[in-house]
PDB file of all heavy atoms in Angstrom:
ATOM      1  N   THR T   1       0.027  31.170 -24.936  1.00 65.00           N
ATOM      2  CA  THR T   1      -1.341  31.659 -24.715  1.00 65.00           C
ATOM      3  C   THR T   1      -2.043  30.988 -23.530  1.00 65.00           C
ATOM      4  O   THR T   1      -2.851  31.605 -22.855  1.00 65.00           O
ATOM      5  CB  THR T   1      -2.199  31.491 -25.962  1.00 65.00           C
ATOM      6  OG1 THR T   1      -2.119  30.136 -26.401  1.00 65.00           O
ATOM      7  CG2 THR T   1      -1.690  32.413 -27.068  1.00 65.00           C
ATOM      8  N   ALA T   2      -1.752  29.717 -23.308  1.00 58.00           N
ATOM      9  CA  ALA T   2      -2.486  28.978 -22.285  1.00 58.00           C
ATOM     10  C   ALA T   2      -1.590  28.676 -21.066  1.00 58.00           C
ATOM     11  O   ALA T   2      -1.945  27.872 -20.204  1.00 58.00           O
ATOM     12  CB  ALA T   2      -3.005  27.670 -22.858  1.00 58.00           C
ATOM     13  N   GLU T   3      -0.434  29.327 -21.004  1.00 65.00           N
ATOM     14  CA  GLU T   3       0.500  29.060 -19.902  1.00 65.00           C
ATOM     15  C   GLU T   3       0.705  30.309 -19.040  1.00 65.00           C
ATOM     16  O   GLU T   3       0.436  31.427 -19.463  1.00 65.00           O
ATOM     17  CB  GLU T   3       1.851  28.595 -20.489  1.00 65.00           C
ATOM     18  CG  GLU T   3       1.770  27.344 -21.367  1.00 65.00           C
ATOM     19  CD  GLU T   3       1.445  26.098 -20.585  1.00 65.00           C
ATOM     20  OE1 GLU T   3       1.616  26.127 -19.350  1.00 65.00           O
ATOM     21  OE2 GLU T   3       0.998  25.120 -21.209  1.00 65.00           O
ATOM     22  N   SER T   4       1.177  30.064 -17.850  1.00 70.00           N
ATOM     23  CA  SER T   4       1.474  31.171 -16.938  1.00 70.00           C
ATOM     24  C   SER T   4       2.834  31.777 -17.280  1.00 70.00           C
ATOM     25  O   SER T   4       3.824  31.041 -17.468  1.00 70.00           O
ATOM     26  CB  SER T   4       1.504  30.676 -15.491  1.00 70.00           C
ATOM     27  OG  SER T   4       2.045  31.680 -14.651  1.00 70.00           O
ATOM     28  N   LEU T   5       2.871  33.109 -17.363  1.00 73.00           N
ATOM     29  CA  LEU T   5       4.120  33.763 -17.640  1.00 73.00           C
ATOM     30  C   LEU T   5       5.002  33.886 -16.372  1.00 73.00           C
ATOM     31  O   LEU T   5       6.028  34.576 -16.364  1.00 73.00           O
ATOM     32  CB  LEU T   5       3.874  35.171 -18.227  1.00 73.00           C
ATOM     33  CG  LEU T   5       3.269  35.163 -19.635  1.00 73.00           C
ATOM     34  CD1 LEU T   5       3.160  36.595 -20.174  1.00 73.00           C
ATOM     35  CD2 LEU T   5       4.071  34.266 -20.598  1.00 73.00           C
ATOM     36  N   GLN T   6       4.578  33.197 -15.298  1.00 74.00           N
ATOM     37  CA  GLN T   6       5.366  33.114 -14.103  1.00 74.00           C
ATOM     38  C   GLN T   6       6.213  31.811 -14.117  1.00 74.00           C
ATOM     39  O   GLN T   6       7.034  31.595 -13.239  1.00 74.00           O
ATOM     40  CB  GLN T   6       4.483  33.105 -12.859  1.00 74.00           C
ATOM     41  CG  GLN T   6       3.492  34.262 -12.752  1.00 74.00           C
ATOM     42  CD  GLN T   6       4.244  35.602 -12.819  1.00 74.00           C
ATOM     43  OE1 GLN T   6       5.278  35.767 -12.226  1.00 74.00           O
ATOM     44  NE2 GLN T   6       3.688  36.568 -13.544  1.00 74.00           N
ATOM     45  N   ASP T   7       5.968  30.977 -15.110  1.00 75.00           N
ATOM     46  CA  ASP T   7       6.705  29.707 -15.220  1.00 75.00           C
ATOM     47  C   ASP T   7       8.108  29.953 -15.755  1.00 75.00           C
ATOM     48  O   ASP T   7       8.289  30.309 -16.935  1.00 75.00           O
ATOM     49  CB  ASP T   7       5.926  28.771 -16.189  1.00 75.00           C
ATOM     50  CG  ASP T   7       6.515  27.383 -16.267  1.00 75.00           C
ATOM     51  OD1 ASP T   7       7.731  27.226 -16.055  1.00 75.00           O
ATOM     52  OD2 ASP T   7       5.764  26.435 -16.535  1.00 75.00           O
ATOM     53  N   ARG T   8       9.104  29.800 -14.924  1.00 77.00           N
ATOM     54  CA  ARG T   8      10.475  30.101 -15.309  1.00 77.00           C
ATOM     55  C   ARG T   8      10.993  29.185 -16.438  1.00 77.00           C
ATOM     56  O   ARG T   8      11.736  29.635 -17.305  1.00 77.00           O
ATOM     57  CB  ARG T   8      11.405  30.012 -14.089  1.00 77.00           C
ATOM     58  CG  ARG T   8      11.142  31.116 -13.056  1.00 77.00           C
ATOM     59  CD  ARG T   8      12.140  31.079 -11.944  1.00 77.00           C
ATOM     60  NE  ARG T   8      11.890  32.099 -10.957  1.00 77.00           N
ATOM     61  CZ  ARG T   8      12.283  33.374 -11.075  1.00 77.00           C
ATOM     62  NH1 ARG T   8      12.994  33.744 -12.112  1.00 77.00           N
ATOM     63  NH2 ARG T   8      12.026  34.272 -10.116  1.00 77.00           N
ATOM     64  N   GLN T   9      10.596  27.929 -16.393  1.00 79.00           N
ATOM     65  CA  GLN T   9      11.044  27.009 -17.487  1.00 79.00           C
ATOM     66  C   GLN T   9      10.435  27.461 -18.819  1.00 79.00           C
ATOM     67  O   GLN T   9      11.114  27.413 -19.837  1.00 79.00           O
ATOM     68  CB  GLN T   9      10.634  25.589 -17.141  1.00 79.00           C
ATOM     69  CG  GLN T   9      11.425  24.984 -15.991  1.00 79.00           C
ATOM     70  CD  GLN T   9      11.097  23.531 -15.773  1.00 79.00           C
ATOM     71  OE1 GLN T   9      10.217  22.968 -16.446  1.00 79.00           O
ATOM     72  NE2 GLN T   9      11.835  22.884 -14.886  1.00 79.00           N
ATOM     73  N   LEU T  10       9.197  27.843 -18.777  1.00 76.00           N
ATOM     74  CA  LEU T  10       8.557  28.346 -20.003  1.00 76.00           C
ATOM     75  C   LEU T  10       9.274  29.574 -20.526  1.00 76.00           C
ATOM     76  O   LEU T  10       9.533  29.701 -21.708  1.00 76.00           O
ATOM     77  CB  LEU T  10       7.089  28.644 -19.733  1.00 76.00           C
ATOM     78  CG  LEU T  10       6.321  29.279 -20.923  1.00 76.00           C
ATOM     79  CD1 LEU T  10       6.114  28.265 -22.012  1.00 76.00           C
ATOM     80  CD2 LEU T  10       4.969  29.828 -20.406  1.00 76.00           C
ATOM     81  N   LEU T  11       9.582  30.503 -19.634  1.00 77.00           N
ATOM     82  CA  LEU T  11      10.269  31.717 -20.039  1.00 77.00           C
ATOM     83  C   LEU T  11      11.650  31.438 -20.626  1.00 77.00           C
ATOM     84  O   LEU T  11      12.052  32.049 -21.596  1.00 77.00           O
ATOM     85  CB  LEU T  11      10.396  32.693 -18.845  1.00 77.00           C
ATOM     86  CG  LEU T  11       9.085  33.228 -18.295  1.00 77.00           C
ATOM     87  CD1 LEU T  11       9.326  34.134 -17.121  1.00 77.00           C
ATOM     88  CD2 LEU T  11       8.306  33.983 -19.367  1.00 77.00           C
ATOM     89  N   ARG T  12      12.331  30.478 -20.040  1.00 80.00           N
ATOM     90  CA  ARG T  12      13.676  30.095 -20.566  1.00 80.00           C
ATOM     91  C   ARG T  12      13.537  29.590 -21.969  1.00 80.00           C
ATOM     92  O   ARG T  12      14.420  29.762 -22.825  1.00 80.00           O
ATOM     93  CB  ARG T  12      14.346  29.097 -19.656  1.00 80.00           C
ATOM     94  CG  ARG T  12      15.002  29.712 -18.427  1.00 80.00           C
ATOM     95  CD  ARG T  12      15.953  28.743 -17.765  1.00 80.00           C
ATOM     96  NE  ARG T  12      15.255  27.641 -17.121  1.00 80.00           N
ATOM     97  CZ  ARG T  12      14.808  27.627 -15.878  1.00 80.00           C
ATOM     98  NH1 ARG T  12      15.018  28.694 -15.117  1.00 80.00           N
ATOM     99  NH2 ARG T  12      14.188  26.588 -15.393  1.00 80.00           N
ATOM    100  N   ARG T  13      12.454  28.877 -22.264  1.00 79.00           N
ATOM    101  CA  ARG T  13      12.291  28.303 -23.608  1.00 79.00           C
ATOM    102  C   ARG T  13      12.054  29.379 -24.668  1.00 79.00           C
ATOM    103  O   ARG T  13      12.220  29.088 -25.860  1.00 79.00           O
ATOM    104  CB  ARG T  13      11.146  27.294 -23.611  1.00 79.00           C
ATOM    105  CG  ARG T  13      11.464  25.987 -22.855  1.00 79.00           C
ATOM    106  CD  ARG T  13      10.531  24.867 -23.265  1.00 79.00           C
ATOM    107  NE  ARG T  13       9.140  25.099 -22.911  1.00 79.00           N
ATOM    108  CZ  ARG T  13       8.587  24.764 -21.707  1.00 79.00           C
ATOM    109  NH1 ARG T  13       9.365  24.173 -20.793  1.00 79.00           N
ATOM    110  NH2 ARG T  13       7.327  24.990 -21.464  1.00 79.00           N
ATOM    111  N   THR T  14      11.676  30.571 -24.258  1.00 80.00           N
ATOM    112  CA  THR T  14      11.516  31.635 -25.253  1.00 80.00           C
ATOM    113  C   THR T  14      12.863  32.080 -25.832  1.00 80.00           C
ATOM    114  O   THR T  14      12.902  32.818 -26.818  1.00 80.00           O
ATOM    115  CB  THR T  14      10.806  32.863 -24.658  1.00 80.00           C
ATOM    116  OG1 THR T  14      11.584  33.398 -23.610  1.00 80.00           O
ATOM    117  CG2 THR T  14       9.411  32.499 -24.150  1.00 80.00           C
ATOM    118  N   ASP T  15      13.944  31.638 -25.228  1.00 84.00           N
ATOM    119  CA  ASP T  15      15.291  31.924 -25.752  1.00 84.00           C
ATOM    120  C   ASP T  15      15.753  30.837 -26.743  1.00 84.00           C
ATOM    121  O   ASP T  15      16.907  30.861 -27.145  1.00 84.00           O
ATOM    122  CB  ASP T  15      16.283  32.030 -24.590  1.00 84.00           C
ATOM    123  CG  ASP T  15      16.633  33.467 -24.268  1.00 84.00           C
ATOM    124  OD1 ASP T  15      16.385  34.331 -25.130  1.00 84.00           O
ATOM    125  OD2 ASP T  15      17.145  33.724 -23.175  1.00 84.00           O
ATOM    126  N   ALA T  16      14.862  29.932 -27.100  1.00 82.00           N
ATOM    127  CA  ALA T  16      15.291  28.831 -27.994  1.00 82.00           C
ATOM    128  C   ALA T  16      15.703  29.380 -29.359  1.00 82.00           C
ATOM    129  O   ALA T  16      16.586  28.818 -30.037  1.00 82.00           O
ATOM    130  CB  ALA T  16      14.129  27.850 -28.177  1.00 82.00           C
ATOM    131  N   VAL T  17      15.099  30.455 -29.800  1.00 87.00           N
ATOM    132  CA  VAL T  17      15.484  31.099 -31.066  1.00 87.00           C
ATOM    133  C   VAL T  17      16.346  32.295 -30.733  1.00 87.00           C
ATOM    134  O   VAL T  17      16.022  33.121 -29.898  1.00 87.00           O
ATOM    135  CB  VAL T  17      14.245  31.547 -31.848  1.00 87.00           C
ATOM    136  CG1 VAL T  17      14.650  32.254 -33.118  1.00 87.00           C
ATOM    137  CG2 VAL T  17      13.373  30.337 -32.168  1.00 87.00           C
ATOM    138  N   ALA T  18      17.459  32.403 -31.391  1.00 90.00           N
ATOM    139  CA  ALA T  18      18.407  33.512 -31.150  1.00 90.00           C
ATOM    140  C   ALA T  18      17.761  34.833 -31.447  1.00 90.00           C
ATOM    141  O   ALA T  18      16.970  34.988 -32.388  1.00 90.00           O
ATOM    142  CB  ALA T  18      19.667  33.298 -32.002  1.00 90.00           C
ATOM    143  N   VAL T  19      18.120  35.849 -30.645  1.00 91.00           N
ATOM    144  CA  VAL T  19      17.577  37.190 -30.894  1.00 91.00           C
ATOM    145  C   VAL T  19      18.177  37.729 -32.161  1.00 91.00           C
ATOM    146  O   VAL T  19      19.396  37.657 -32.398  1.00 91.00           O
ATOM    147  CB  VAL T  19      17.932  38.115 -29.707  1.00 91.00           C
ATOM    148  CG1 VAL T  19      17.396  39.534 -29.952  1.00 91.00           C
ATOM    149  CG2 VAL T  19      17.378  37.560 -28.393  1.00 91.00           C
ATOM    150  N   ARG T  20      17.337  38.297 -33.001  1.00 94.00           N
ATOM    151  CA  ARG T  20      17.773  38.830 -34.294  1.00 94.00           C
ATOM    152  C   ARG T  20      18.472  40.163 -34.075  1.00 94.00           C
ATOM    153  O   ARG T  20      17.976  41.050 -33.356  1.00 94.00           O
ATOM    154  CB  ARG T  20      16.594  39.016 -35.201  1.00 94.00           C
ATOM    155  CG  ARG T  20      16.925  39.441 -36.614  1.00 94.00           C
ATOM    156  CD  ARG T  20      15.669  39.641 -37.455  1.00 94.00           C
ATOM    157  NE  ARG T  20      14.897  38.372 -37.504  1.00 94.00           N
ATOM    158  CZ  ARG T  20      15.090  37.428 -38.417  1.00 94.00           C
ATOM    159  NH1 ARG T  20      16.063  37.542 -39.282  1.00 94.00           N
ATOM    160  NH2 ARG T  20      14.312  36.350 -38.397  1.00 94.00           N
ATOM    161  N   THR T  21      19.628  40.370 -34.706  1.00 94.00           N
ATOM    162  CA  THR T  21      20.308  41.648 -34.632  1.00 94.00           C
ATOM    163  C   THR T  21      19.782  42.552 -35.776  1.00 94.00           C
ATOM    164  O   THR T  21      19.776  42.187 -36.932  1.00 94.00           O
ATOM    165  CB  THR T  21      21.839  41.443 -34.826  1.00 94.00           C
ATOM    166  OG1 THR T  21      22.095  40.753 -36.029  1.00 94.00           O
ATOM    167  CG2 THR T  21      22.431  40.707 -33.651  1.00 94.00           C
ATOM    168  N   LEU T  22      19.285  43.714 -35.372  1.00 91.00           N
ATOM    169  CA  LEU T  22      18.641  44.600 -36.334  1.00 91.00           C
ATOM    170  C   LEU T  22      19.611  45.543 -37.006  1.00 91.00           C
ATOM    171  O   LEU T  22      19.532  45.780 -38.207  1.00 91.00           O
ATOM    172  CB  LEU T  22      17.543  45.412 -35.613  1.00 91.00           C
ATOM    173  CG  LEU T  22      16.463  44.565 -34.891  1.00 91.00           C
ATOM    174  CD1 LEU T  22      15.467  45.496 -34.196  1.00 91.00           C
ATOM    175  CD2 LEU T  22      15.749  43.630 -35.857  1.00 91.00           C
ATOM    176  N   LEU T  23      20.556  46.105 -36.240  1.00 90.00           N
ATOM    177  CA  LEU T  23      21.512  47.065 -36.804  1.00 90.00           C
ATOM    178  C   LEU T  23      22.906  46.726 -36.296  1.00 90.00           C
ATOM    179  O   LEU T  23      23.511  47.493 -35.545  1.00 90.00           O
ATOM    180  CB  LEU T  23      21.137  48.484 -36.421  1.00 90.00           C
ATOM    181  CG  LEU T  23      19.801  49.029 -36.941  1.00 90.00           C
ATOM    182  CD1 LEU T  23      19.462  50.377 -36.317  1.00 90.00           C
ATOM    183  CD2 LEU T  23      19.836  49.168 -38.457  1.00 90.00           C
ATOM    184  N   PRO T  24      23.435  45.568 -36.640  1.00 92.00           N
ATOM    185  CA  PRO T  24      24.712  45.123 -36.054  1.00 92.00           C
ATOM    186  C   PRO T  24      25.916  45.963 -36.421  1.00 92.00           C
ATOM    187  O   PRO T  24      26.903  46.002 -35.699  1.00 92.00           O
ATOM    188  CB  PRO T  24      24.866  43.701 -36.588  1.00 92.00           C
ATOM    189  CG  PRO T  24      24.086  43.677 -37.869  1.00 92.00           C
ATOM    190  CD  PRO T  24      22.912  44.568 -37.599  1.00 92.00           C
ATOM    191  N   GLY T  25      25.852  46.688 -37.520  1.00 91.00           N
ATOM    192  CA  GLY T  25      27.022  47.462 -37.979  1.00 91.00           C
ATOM    193  C   GLY T  25      27.104  48.850 -37.413  1.00 91.00           C
ATOM    194  O   GLY T  25      28.019  49.607 -37.753  1.00 91.00           O
ATOM    195  N   ILE T  26      26.150  49.213 -36.537  1.00 93.00           N
ATOM    196  CA  ILE T  26      26.134  50.570 -36.002  1.00 93.00           C
ATOM    197  C   ILE T  26      27.080  50.684 -34.815  1.00 93.00           C
ATOM    198  O   ILE T  26      27.083  49.812 -33.936  1.00 93.00           O
ATOM    199  CB  ILE T  26      24.705  50.942 -35.582  1.00 93.00           C
ATOM    200  CG1 ILE T  26      23.742  50.800 -36.772  1.00 93.00           C
ATOM    201  CG2 ILE T  26      24.673  52.388 -35.050  1.00 93.00           C
ATOM    202  CD1 ILE T  26      24.127  51.570 -37.990  1.00 93.00           C
ATOM    203  N   ALA T  27      27.830  51.752 -34.725  1.00 96.00           N
ATOM    204  CA  ALA T  27      28.659  52.054 -33.544  1.00 96.00           C
ATOM    205  C   ALA T  27      27.911  53.035 -32.677  1.00 96.00           C
ATOM    206  O   ALA T  27      27.522  54.095 -33.143  1.00 96.00           O
ATOM    207  CB  ALA T  27      30.005  52.617 -34.009  1.00 96.00           C
ATOM    208  N   VAL T  28      27.727  52.666 -31.426  1.00 97.00           N
ATOM    209  CA  VAL T  28      27.035  53.525 -30.453  1.00 97.00           C
ATOM    210  C   VAL T  28      28.102  54.227 -29.621  1.00 97.00           C
ATOM    211  O   VAL T  28      28.909  53.579 -28.969  1.00 97.00           O
ATOM    212  CB  VAL T  28      26.081  52.757 -29.556  1.00 97.00           C
ATOM    213  CG1 VAL T  28      25.398  53.659 -28.554  1.00 97.00           C
ATOM    214  CG2 VAL T  28      25.030  52.021 -30.399  1.00 97.00           C
ATOM    215  N   VAL T  29      28.091  55.548 -29.622  1.00 98.00           N
ATOM    216  CA  VAL T  29      29.098  56.326 -28.867  1.00 98.00           C
ATOM    217  C   VAL T  29      28.360  57.274 -27.933  1.00 98.00           C
ATOM    218  O   VAL T  29      27.521  58.087 -28.366  1.00 98.00           O
ATOM    219  CB  VAL T  29      29.978  57.174 -29.822  1.00 98.00           C
ATOM    220  CG1 VAL T  29      30.984  57.992 -29.042  1.00 98.00           C
ATOM    221  CG2 VAL T  29      30.688  56.223 -30.810  1.00 98.00           C
ATOM    222  N   LYS T  30      28.650  57.158 -26.645  1.00 98.00           N
ATOM    223  CA  LYS T  30      27.999  57.974 -25.654  1.00 98.00           C
ATOM    224  C   LYS T  30      28.923  59.065 -25.113  1.00 98.00           C
ATOM    225  O   LYS T  30      30.008  58.766 -24.626  1.00 98.00           O
ATOM    226  CB  LYS T  30      27.489  57.113 -24.502  1.00 98.00           C
ATOM    227  CG  LYS T  30      26.476  57.824 -23.619  1.00 98.00           C
ATOM    228  CD  LYS T  30      27.100  58.314 -22.307  1.00 98.00           C
ATOM    229  CE  LYS T  30      26.032  59.060 -21.461  1.00 98.00           C
ATOM    230  NZ  LYS T  30      26.453  59.280 -20.090  1.00 98.00           N
ATOM    231  N   LEU T  31      28.503  60.317 -25.232  1.00 98.00           N
ATOM    232  CA  LEU T  31      29.273  61.441 -24.696  1.00 98.00           C
ATOM    233  C   LEU T  31      28.834  61.756 -23.296  1.00 98.00           C
ATOM    234  O   LEU T  31      27.648  62.036 -23.048  1.00 98.00           O
ATOM    235  CB  LEU T  31      29.107  62.678 -25.589  1.00 98.00           C
ATOM    236  CG  LEU T  31      29.463  62.549 -27.074  1.00 98.00           C
ATOM    237  CD1 LEU T  31      29.382  63.916 -27.758  1.00 98.00           C
ATOM    238  CD2 LEU T  31      30.856  61.985 -27.228  1.00 98.00           C
ATOM    239  N   GLY T  32      29.754  61.685 -22.372  1.00 98.00           N
ATOM    240  CA  GLY T  32      29.402  62.007 -20.970  1.00 98.00           C
ATOM    241  C   GLY T  32      29.004  63.461 -20.810  1.00 98.00           C
ATOM    242  O   GLY T  32      29.659  64.345 -21.334  1.00 98.00           O
ATOM    243  N   GLY T  33      27.909  63.672 -20.090  1.00 97.00           N
ATOM    244  CA  GLY T  33      27.468  65.044 -19.861  1.00 97.00           C
ATOM    245  C   GLY T  33      28.429  65.823 -18.936  1.00 97.00           C
ATOM    246  O   GLY T  33      28.952  66.874 -19.306  1.00 97.00           O
ATOM    247  N   ALA T  34      28.739  65.231 -17.773  1.00 96.00           N
ATOM    248  CA  ALA T  34      29.626  65.894 -16.844  1.00 96.00           C
ATOM    249  C   ALA T  34      31.085  65.851 -17.325  1.00 96.00           C
ATOM    250  O   ALA T  34      31.831  66.826 -17.146  1.00 96.00           O
ATOM    251  CB  ALA T  34      29.526  65.248 -15.478  1.00 96.00           C
ATOM    252  N   SER T  35      31.471  64.734 -17.935  1.00 96.00           N
ATOM    253  CA  SER T  35      32.862  64.559 -18.324  1.00 96.00           C
ATOM    254  C   SER T  35      33.276  65.256 -19.600  1.00 96.00           C
ATOM    255  O   SER T  35      34.456  65.641 -19.759  1.00 96.00           O
ATOM    256  CB  SER T  35      33.198  63.065 -18.433  1.00 96.00           C
ATOM    257  OG  SER T  35      32.282  62.417 -19.249  1.00 96.00           O
ATOM    258  N   ILE T  36      32.328  65.505 -20.500  1.00 98.00           N
ATOM    259  CA  ILE T  36      32.707  66.126 -21.782  1.00 98.00           C
ATOM    260  C   ILE T  36      31.944  67.454 -21.970  1.00 98.00           C
ATOM    261  O   ILE T  36      32.607  68.517 -22.061  1.00 98.00           O
ATOM    262  CB  ILE T  36      32.408  65.191 -22.955  1.00 98.00           C
ATOM    263  CG1 ILE T  36      33.222  63.897 -22.828  1.00 98.00           C
ATOM    264  CG2 ILE T  36      32.735  65.877 -24.277  1.00 98.00           C
ATOM    265  CD1 ILE T  36      34.720  64.088 -22.885  1.00 98.00           C
ATOM    266  N   LEU T  37      30.622  67.438 -21.974  1.00 98.00           N
ATOM    267  CA  LEU T  37      29.866  68.656 -22.281  1.00 98.00           C
ATOM    268  C   LEU T  37      30.101  69.751 -21.243  1.00 98.00           C
ATOM    269  O   LEU T  37      30.298  70.909 -21.587  1.00 98.00           O
ATOM    270  CB  LEU T  37      28.360  68.375 -22.429  1.00 98.00           C
ATOM    271  CG  LEU T  37      27.902  67.996 -23.820  1.00 98.00           C
ATOM    272  CD1 LEU T  37      28.234  66.522 -24.116  1.00 98.00           C
ATOM    273  CD2 LEU T  37      26.415  68.221 -23.954  1.00 98.00           C
ATOM    274  N   ASP T  38      30.094  69.384 -19.983  1.00 98.00           N
ATOM    275  CA  ASP T  38      30.190  70.430 -18.937  1.00 98.00           C
ATOM    276  C   ASP T  38      31.571  71.061 -18.880  1.00 98.00           C
ATOM    277  O   ASP T  38      31.761  72.084 -18.222  1.00 98.00           O
ATOM    278  CB  ASP T  38      29.872  69.801 -17.568  1.00 98.00           C
ATOM    279  CG  ASP T  38      28.410  69.444 -17.410  1.00 98.00           C
ATOM    280  OD1 ASP T  38      27.610  69.874 -18.272  1.00 98.00           O
ATOM    281  OD2 ASP T  38      28.056  68.756 -16.445  1.00 98.00           O
ATOM    282  N   ARG T  39      32.520  70.466 -19.533  1.00 97.00           N
ATOM    283  CA  ARG T  39      33.879  71.027 -19.559  1.00 97.00           C
ATOM    284  C   ARG T  39      34.024  72.188 -20.578  1.00 97.00           C
ATOM    285  O   ARG T  39      35.037  72.848 -20.637  1.00 97.00           O
ATOM    286  CB  ARG T  39      34.908  69.964 -19.885  1.00 97.00           C
ATOM    287  CG  ARG T  39      35.163  68.995 -18.738  1.00 97.00           C
ATOM    288  CD  ARG T  39      36.157  67.907 -19.157  1.00 97.00           C
ATOM    289  NE  ARG T  39      36.559  67.101 -18.038  1.00 97.00           N
ATOM    290  CZ  ARG T  39      37.574  67.319 -17.242  1.00 97.00           C
ATOM    291  NH1 ARG T  39      38.292  68.398 -17.414  1.00 97.00           N
ATOM    292  NH2 ARG T  39      37.857  66.522 -16.236  1.00 97.00           N
ATOM    293  N   GLY T  40      32.964  72.371 -21.384  1.00 97.00           N
ATOM    294  CA  GLY T  40      32.958  73.493 -22.304  1.00 97.00           C
ATOM    295  C   GLY T  40      33.615  73.236 -23.636  1.00 97.00           C
ATOM    296  O   GLY T  40      33.958  72.106 -23.955  1.00 97.00           O
ATOM    297  N   PRO T  41      33.830  74.285 -24.429  1.00 98.00           N
ATOM    298  CA  PRO T  41      34.328  74.109 -25.804  1.00 98.00           C
ATOM    299  C   PRO T  41      35.674  73.445 -25.894  1.00 98.00           C
ATOM    300  O   PRO T  41      35.959  72.742 -26.882  1.00 98.00           O
ATOM    301  CB  PRO T  41      34.345  75.544 -26.346  1.00 98.00           C
ATOM    302  CG  PRO T  41      34.312  76.455 -25.138  1.00 98.00           C
ATOM    303  CD  PRO T  41      33.535  75.704 -24.115  1.00 98.00           C
ATOM    304  N   GLU T  42      36.555  73.658 -24.907  1.00 98.00           N
ATOM    305  CA  GLU T  42      37.877  73.078 -24.981  1.00 98.00           C
ATOM    306  C   GLU T  42      37.825  71.557 -25.035  1.00 98.00           C
ATOM    307  O   GLU T  42      38.656  70.915 -25.680  1.00 98.00           O
ATOM    308  CB  GLU T  42      38.750  73.493 -23.793  1.00 98.00           C
ATOM    309  CG  GLU T  42      39.083  74.990 -23.772  1.00 98.00           C
ATOM    310  CD  GLU T  42      37.918  75.863 -23.261  1.00 98.00           C
ATOM    311  OE1 GLU T  42      36.924  75.298 -22.781  1.00 98.00           O
ATOM    312  OE2 GLU T  42      38.020  77.083 -23.397  1.00 98.00           O
TER     313      GLU T  42
END
């Protein structure tokens, strides 16, 4: 609250606590538009 958010050392300290994983068991699968959808039903 009383510090500059331009301070790089301060910003690095925000990583002191590990980022919480919210949905670790989810598999993310991306379908390419040009590579899959544009090729049609086949």
Side-chain angles (χ1 to χ4, degrees):
T1 54
E3 302 291 341
S4 169
L5 293 184
Q6 306 303 320
D7 185 332
R8 293 186 180 276
Q9 290 187 354
L10 176 69
L11 294 179
R12 280 195 291 270
R13 289 199 295 271
T14 62
D15 257 341
V17 177
V19 180
R20 187 182 300 274
T21 55
L22 303 179
L23 296 171
I26 304 304
V28 179
V29 178
K30 194 258 178 167
L31 302 186
S35 51
I36 300 298
L37 270 79
D38 290 349
R39 287 178 172 271
E42 294 78 10

